[in-house]
Amino acid sequence: MSKKEALSYIRSAKSSHVEWRSNVQGYVTGIHVDANKLPLIHTDSFFARWYYTEGQTFTHLTNYKAINLCLEEVFENYRTLYKALHTPAKKASLFQSQKKIDAKRKEDINQLMQDVFNSSQKLIQATTQLENEIKQMSDEEFDKLF
């Protein structure tokens, strides 16, 4: 793999993650999104397929290790959001109106989506740091990775 190819793989992985995040946002707002585009397990994502295949070349680089924790956090937050979206809404009671219950649910879902977004941003930042680390390598240094 050349340095140019490696950087291309990294950019494709980042791009696929941003697309995944956009799909999650659409899904949350009620837009139909193909379930295959919203895997619940991080290892099923396109990003993870890069990370656990071509990306393995960079396991000894400092910035590579941070990516896995970020990726796991993104999907942990997404599973929490997914569960909240698929848990039936509570019904009004003597002490709480349906309007208040629905408003609280919406607020909770918005916060969970923000958690997904924030952890996603960390993943993109960690991946960009790896990309920058590779860019700064000379061709000779890069070739020694193999």
Side-chain angles (χ1 to χ4, degrees):
M1 170 182 348
S2 71
K3 185 175 173 180
K4 186 176 180 178
E5 289 172 324
L7 292 171
S8 178
Y9 281 130
I10 291 170
R11 289 182 192 119
S12 291
K14 285 194 318 186
S15 176
S16 74
H17 178 71
V18 171
E19 182 181 342
W20 172 85
R21 185 177 66 200
S22 293
N23 286 332
V24 171
Q25 289 170 313
Y27 183 71
V28 168
T29 61
I31 296 171
H32 174 74
V33 178
D34 183 359
N36 293 327
K37 293 183 177 185
L38 294 173
L40 287 169
I41 302 168
H42 72 281
T43 54
D44 291 341
S45 70
F46 180 85
F47 186 96
R49 284 194 290 271
W50 161 77
Y51 183 80
Y52 294 115
T53 57
E54 291 91 359
Q56 290 290 299
T57 304
F58 311 113
T59 56
H60 65 285
L61 298 179
T62 307
N63 291 306
Y64 179 85
K65 295 174 180 97
I67 292 172
N68 191 51
L69 295 175
C70 293
L71 183 60
E72 289 176 359
E73 180 182 336
V74 168
F75 277 85
E76 183 177 318
N77 288 336
Y78 173 58
R79 282 189 299 275
T80 302
L81 171 63
Y82 184 87
K83 183 178 177 184
L85 289 169
H86 292 276
T87 299
K90 293 180 181 177
K91 300 294 180 199
S93 68
L94 183 62
F95 302 105
Q96 233 178 358
S97 71
Q98 191 64 46
K99 187 175 180 178
K100 284 184 180 179
I101 290 170
D102 292 344
K104 174 70 170 125
R105 177 180 166 86
K106 184 176 181 179
E107 179 184 319
D108 290 346
I109 286 173
N110 286 339
Q111 181 57 56
L112 292 169
M113 184 62 225
Q114 188 62 48
D115 292 346
V116 169
F117 185 83
N118 291 342
S119 57
S120 172
Q121 285 299 105
K122 287 182 202 173
L123 175 62
I124 295 297
Q125 288 170 352
T127 307
T128 299
Q129 289 174 342
L130 174 65
E131 182 180 5
N132 291 337
E133 186 176 2
I134 292 169
K135 280 182 189 175
Q136 292 172 359
M137 291 179 173
S138 68
D139 290 339
E140 294 79 29
E141 290 173 315
F142 182 82
D143 290 341
K144 287 180 184 176
L145 296 174
F146 299 96

